[in-house]
Amino acid sequence: MLRLVFLITILGVCTAQPYTSLTQDQVTAARAKIRELIVTTNSTDGTFKPFIAASVRLAFHDCVGRCDGCINFNNADNAGLQMVVQALNNLHGSDFRQIMSRADFWALAGIVAATIASENRMCRRRPPPGRPPPPNCQVATFPADFKWGRQDCNPTSSQTNASRVFPNGHGDLKHDKEYFSTMFGFTTREAVAIIGAHTLGAASRQQSGWNGRWVGRRDALDNQFYQLLSDISLNWTHPNVARPRDEARYQWNARAPGEQNNRGFMLNTDMALFRNISPNAVGESSCTFLTCGDSETASIVREYAQNNTLWFIEFAAVFQKMISNGYTAAELKDPTPVPAQSLPSSSPTQSMSRTAPPGTRMSPPDGMRSSPPTRMSPPDDMSPSPPITYTSLTHAQVAVARQDIRQLILSRNSTDDTFKPLIASSVRLVFHDCVGKCDGCINFNNSDNAGLQMVVRDLDRLYRRGNYTQVMSRADFWALAGTVAAVIASENRMCRMRRPGPPGMGEPQNDTRPMQPPGMGGPQNGTQQTPPGTNRTGPPNDCQLQTIPLEFMWGRKDCNPSSSRTNASREFPNGHGDLKHVTQYFMSEFGFTTRETVALLGAHTLGAARRGNSGWNGRWVPRRDSLDNEFYLLLSNTNLIWTHPNVAPQNREPRYQWSARQGNQTNQRGFMLNSDMSLFRNITPNDVGRSSCTYYTCGDSETASIVRQFARNNTQWFIEFAAIFQKMLSNGYADGELKYPTEFPTEESSTDAPRTTAKDITGRACSYVHSVTTPLISVLSLVLLYFV
């Protein structure tokens, strides 16, 4: 008998083992499976996806007190969560129980659901499958960073009898503030931001007693909640909607004049954010919507109502703080890359073991020891291949490609180990590729493309050896590489271990709460709270992690399916040019406005120029792999000593540039081309690029005010840059030609395409043991009961 009990105990170890590691590939697989579950579960009438709102709500309910993967269904406040808990538990138990806790899985589900809901925003109207959003609609990806390490209250069951207190829908503003401060440590502004999640889902009389949708669209994550709440043109009433003999349920219903149906509804706790209500014990307000007057947080509500991006970024930060509740920053960890040698042979990332072992050193493609174009050897495996018609691309396939590209970029170090050269060169590559049209081809006979040879070689190797030729065009693969590089660079902003800049540099100025885009209201000052857990090794305490809001679309066509080489002639901006040249060039090539041009040139915060490539020399800013507003901070810094030397060697074509130094220091703090300087100073260079005035005598250019705006507020530039970068990646394609990835492959899609499945990622030793021991333990348990 003792032997039998011992055997059961030993066999149970694998199923109850502590979680000691989690890889980015495993998270990618889990994301894909959760996404599939959410988007394939429809409401009974087929009008919305109920698991979007339910997964976000579950993450909140689980994290009251502490995120621990357990729910007490004896508590009426948790009514309505049973279905999503059962569905997520089934998926977690079958595929992911061996790699992460249930609490981590629920937190990831909340992030995935919020991501889908933010994609659904699409200016409040999701386009038909395969169709792009309206031209002026910016699709933002939910910028939450998943970390793992949460512990389940019970590894074998999500049921608990623990008592947790939830907000009282009858409460006033004082109740809101005290609840969220006590439970989560939220500030008043953070409490206002998190309650905006009520834009998702609805209330049911059978569950909570209240009834209706907060807003018209229940599966889109945007600022509709605040727009409705602050709309004084609506007719607001305050009825008791409870059924006879039930507890009173007073709520606020909104209707437009002349309409019969409600536009939406609010709880007292919602209305208290905008109106100074003082409900009695049963929730009835003593004043009306029009007579109550503004509450102390009404100005925040108006800010969010006027600017979706402002709320979106602040909500994401508070959401991340919420799903970290009960844990220190050190207890939650980032997923790690998978070592190439440990991947299954079927994984496309296996190619990384041949092409990019971690720690590989290389000269940066943006100069520094790259070979001249005429001497460069062709990339490996460049034999001609037949043209492929791409008919389908899934989210899972894109996720695998993203991870492979990320691993490649992060594995490449500069010769002095101070930066990742493929970050800047990947961003530069997509700009050079998209001049004229994004077509996956580069002409290396054009000296303007010098320094891109290595990134083209590395991406082409990964594209072919990873079997992505069967999945997407080279042009799409390069565009995806540019977005991945931009994401890494945005993460690098103060959120990774950074080497100190040159003496006197200091840290970049701290972000303030995002300034609104032109024409939007709201203040431009104030600090933004940072969610716990976003700190990486050694960053400042106020580190703010932002993910660049880019949405990948596919459908670009290669100029040559078998080679990335072309002899096509393309014109690039002239570094000697003035503002007129710069604005005319980007208008002609990309259709950019003047403001868009100023925003895109901020990409010069990445990389450097090298005399051996372009003739110019130096870093634009000291930190060359971080995507932020340092370019504008330097350009508009009138306290620096600016000179205008010709840095070309003797007997070479002149290369006049603007060099900046601090005080008596001898090291260059940064430099600008004429085309950069013209954004801030009204320079008039001659034919060889020499300016007739100095930095101090030229005076402001017509775009100087835009430069100052971007210098004052990193987030404003960050959002505008993302929109222009996306526009650049679509150059040469009409609306409808570029499509969004789908959840599942179409019947016509290639059978050779690599796909990420949970079996690929989790089919390792313990998963196998788990599949064998789970039924065995059940059988042995029955045997034990028989003997007892």
Side-chain angles (χ1 to χ4, degrees):
M1 177 64 66
L2 290 176
R3 289 181 180 179
L4 185 59
V5 173
F6 178 75
L7 178 60
I8 294 175
T9 303
I10 293 299
L11 289 174
V13 168
C14 190
T15 63
Q17 62 180 323
Y19 303 100
T20 58
S21 67
L22 184 66
T23 69
Q24 291 168 343
D25 275 7
Q26 290 171 328
V27 174
T28 297
R31 283 182 186 269
K33 283 292 188 178
I34 293 170
R35 173 182 278 269
E36 179 181 333
L37 171 67
I38 291 174
V39 301
T40 57
T41 304
N42 295 309
S43 60
T44 52
D45 59 2
T47 59
F48 66 99
K49 309 288 185 183
F51 281 180
I52 293 178
S55 298
V56 172
R57 181 179 172 225
L58 174 62
F60 165 58
H61 280 236
D62 180 44
C63 289
V64 170
R66 176 184 170 95
C67 311
D68 63 1
C70 292
I71 291 290
N72 181 358
F73 283 115
N74 294 320
N75 185 336
D77 286 323
N78 290 317
L81 289 174
Q82 291 88 342
M83 288 183 62
V84 70
V85 167
Q86 180 181 355
L88 288 175
N89 284 353
N90 289 342
L91 180 57
H92 175 257
S94 63
D95 288 0
F96 299 101
R97 183 181 178 184
Q98 295 304 317
I99 64 175
M100 69 176 76
S101 68
R102 183 172 55 252
D104 282 335
F105 196 70
W106 286 5
L108 182 61
I111 293 175
V112 173
T115 299
I116 297 170
S118 64
E119 294 167 359
N120 281 355
R121 182 176 67 84
M122 301 276 191
C123 300
R124 298 191 209 158
R125 182 179 302 173
R126 192 176 182 94
R131 296 289 297 177
N136 62 344
C137 176
Q138 180 183 339
V139 183
T141 300
F142 191 64
D145 195 31
F146 174 71
K147 292 176 178 289
W148 67 278
R150 300 164 188 82
Q151 298 177 0
D152 295 335
C153 79
N154 183 345
T156 60
S157 173
S158 62
Q159 309 303 316
T160 181
N161 292 321
S163 177
R164 295 180 178 178
V165 178
F166 294 90
N168 182 355
H170 284 316
D172 57 9
L173 183 60
K174 180 182 179 182
H175 168 75
D176 285 343
K177 293 165 59 177
E178 290 180 349
Y179 178 86
F180 285 102
S181 176
T182 301
M183 288 294 178
F184 295 96
F186 288 173
T187 65
T188 298
R189 186 177 185 90
E190 288 175 327
V192 178
I194 199 69
I195 293 175
H198 277 166
T199 196
L200 300 175
S204 168
R205 187 177 283 114
Q206 289 72 28
Q207 293 173 5
S208 65
W210 287 284
N211 194 58
R213 305 179 187 179
W214 275 272
V215 298
R217 176 81 188 265
R218 62 173 72 181
D219 59 3
L221 188 63
D222 61 14
N223 63 342
Q224 289 183 80
F225 171 84
Y226 304 98
Q227 290 178 345
L228 184 76
L229 179 58
S230 60
D231 192 342
I232 60 176
S233 69
L234 299 176
N235 293 328
W236 287 92
T237 58
H238 187 48
N240 176 12
V241 297
R243 293 173 296 193
R245 295 185 297 278
D246 284 350
E247 277 188 24
R249 286 292 185 268
Y250 284 92
Q251 65 183 46
W252 300 82
N253 292 341
R255 291 184 185 178
E259 290 185 359
Q260 298 300 315
N261 296 325
N262 290 337
R263 285 281 184 92
F265 94 99
M266 297 286 160
L267 302 174
N268 280 344
T269 46
D270 303 318
M271 185 56 67
L273 304 179
F274 189 67
R275 289 306 194 203
N276 188 27
I277 62 172
S278 51
N280 59 21
V282 296
E284 185 176 13
S285 173
S286 59
C287 56
T288 69
F289 180 86
L290 296 178
T291 62
C292 282
D294 282 359
S295 72
E296 66 180 78
T297 56
S299 61
I300 304 175
V301 171
R302 291 190 178 97
E303 286 181 58
Y304 292 156
Q306 291 165 347
N307 192 314
N308 181 75
T309 300
L310 171 66
W311 171 74
F312 184 75
I313 291 177
E314 296 192 21
F315 173 79
V318 183
F319 188 84
Q320 183 125 23
K321 185 174 181 177
M322 180 189 77
I323 60 174
S324 305
N325 195 35
Y327 299 88
T328 65
E331 289 179 297
L332 298 184
K333 300 170 283 292
D334 290 308
T336 56
V338 179
Q341 62 271 19
S342 69
L343 292 172
S345 59
S346 60
S347 171
T349 39
Q350 187 185 28
S351 63
M352 298 304 300
S353 63
R354 299 190 299 270
T355 61
T360 299
R361 295 189 181 189
M362 59 170 274
S363 299
D366 204 15
M368 292 160 283
R369 291 178 44 189
S370 62
S371 303
T374 56
R375 297 178 55 193
M376 192 191 78
S377 300
D380 297 345
D381 303 331
M382 289 297 290
S383 55
S385 58
I388 298 175
T389 301
Y390 302 100
T391 59
S392 176
L393 186 66
T394 68
H395 285 293
Q397 290 169 332
V398 173
V400 173
R402 280 184 189 273
Q403 185 54 41
D404 275 0
I405 293 169
R406 171 182 276 269
Q407 184 174 349
L408 171 65
I409 291 173
L410 293 179
S411 70
R412 296 300 204 198
N413 296 314
S414 60
T415 53
D416 60 0
D417 277 337
T418 59
F419 66 101
K420 306 289 185 182
L422 291 192
I423 294 178
S425 57
S426 297
V427 172
R428 181 178 173 226
L429 174 62
V430 293
F431 165 59
H432 281 237
D433 180 44
C434 290
V435 169
K437 179 175 182 174
C438 310
D439 63 2
C441 292
I442 291 290
N443 180 359
F444 283 115
N445 294 319
N446 184 337
S447 60
D448 285 325
N449 291 317
L452 289 173
Q453 293 91 339
M454 289 188 180
V455 68
V456 168
R457 181 198 65 188
D458 284 356
L459 286 176
D460 279 0
R461 282 179 177 174
L462 179 59
Y463 178 63
R464 293 177 178 280
R465 293 180 178 180
N467 202 31
Y468 291 110
T469 56
Q470 303 299 313
V471 180
M472 66 181 79
S473 69
R474 186 189 313 104
D476 282 335
F477 194 71
W478 286 5
L480 184 59
T483 64
V484 172
V487 167
I488 296 172
S490 66
E491 294 169 355
N492 279 355
R493 183 180 184 271
M494 297 179 66
C495 289
R496 294 189 183 275
M497 175 67 80
R498 307 297 302 278
R499 289 171 175 79
M505 271 307 303
E507 291 295 327
Q509 79 172 31
N510 295 335
D511 241 353
T512 58
R513 185 162 37 82
M515 183 188 293
Q516 287 72 26
M520 301 306 293
Q524 298 175 353
N525 298 310
T527 58
Q528 179 173 341
Q529 297 294 320
T530 304
T534 55
N535 289 348
R536 302 183 186 272
T537 307
N541 291 329
D542 59 353
C543 169
Q544 177 182 345
L545 177 63
Q546 294 180 326
T547 300
I548 189 167
L550 290 172
E551 183 77 1
F552 176 70
M553 301 177 72
W554 67 279
R556 300 165 188 82
K557 297 179 180 179
D558 296 333
C559 77
N560 183 347
S562 61
S563 175
S564 59
R565 305 295 185 265
T566 182
N567 292 320
S569 177
R570 294 179 179 178
E571 295 294 327
F572 294 90
N574 182 354
H576 283 317
D578 58 9
L579 184 61
K580 180 180 179 182
H581 165 76
V582 173
T583 54
Q584 287 183 349
Y585 176 86
F586 283 98
M587 170 58 75
S588 175
E589 287 291 342
F590 297 98
F592 288 173
T593 65
T594 298
R595 186 180 185 90
E596 290 174 330
T597 298
V598 178
L600 187 72
L601 286 179
H604 275 167
T605 196
L606 301 174
R610 182 175 182 265
R611 191 176 281 113
N613 286 337
S614 63
W616 287 284
N617 194 59
R619 306 178 186 181
W620 275 271
V621 300
R623 294 178 175 87
R624 60 176 71 182
D625 59 2
S626 178
L627 190 62
D628 59 16
N629 64 341
E630 280 191 89
F631 173 83
Y632 305 99
L633 287 167
L634 185 75
L635 181 57
S636 61
N637 192 340
T638 59
N639 294 321
L640 298 176
I641 297 174
W642 287 92
T643 57
H644 187 48
N646 175 15
V647 297
Q650 287 186 351
N651 304 320
R652 295 290 182 87
E653 199 174 300
R655 285 292 185 267
Y656 284 94
Q657 65 184 43
W658 298 83
S659 299
R661 288 180 172 82
Q662 178 79 46
N664 295 325
Q665 293 178 4
T666 57
N667 292 331
Q668 183 172 284
R669 185 168 181 179
F671 95 100
M672 297 286 160
L673 304 174
N674 280 344
S675 50
D676 302 317
M677 185 55 70
S678 68
L679 304 180
F680 189 66
R681 289 307 195 201
N682 188 27
I683 62 172
T684 54
N686 59 20
D687 292 342
V688 297
R690 184 175 182 178
S691 173
S692 58
C693 56
T694 70
Y695 180 88
Y696 310 98
T697 62
C698 283
D700 281 359
S701 72
E702 65 181 78
T703 55
S705 61
I706 304 174
V707 170
R708 290 190 179 97
Q709 286 179 33
F710 291 155
R712 285 196 302 265
N713 194 295
N714 179 74
T715 302
Q716 179 182 10
W717 170 73
F718 184 77
I719 295 297
E720 294 190 34
F721 172 80
I724 309 312
F725 192 78
Q726 186 115 31
K727 185 175 179 179
M728 181 188 77
L729 294 180
S730 305
N731 195 39
Y733 297 89
D735 289 348
E737 289 187 278
L738 299 186
K739 302 171 282 293
Y740 289 98
T742 56
E743 303 304 327
F744 307 103
T746 62
E747 293 181 359
E748 297 85 0
S749 60
S750 170
T751 58
D752 297 327
R755 297 180 179 88
T756 298
T757 66
K759 184 178 180 180
D760 293 332
I761 305 303
T762 61
R764 297 187 174 96
C766 196
S767 293
Y768 175 76
V769 173
H770 173 63
S771 66
V772 173
T773 58
T774 298
L776 186 57
I777 288 174
S778 299
V779 172
L780 291 175
S781 298
L782 292 175
V783 173
L784 178 61
L785 289 174
Y786 175 82
F787 279 107
V788 172

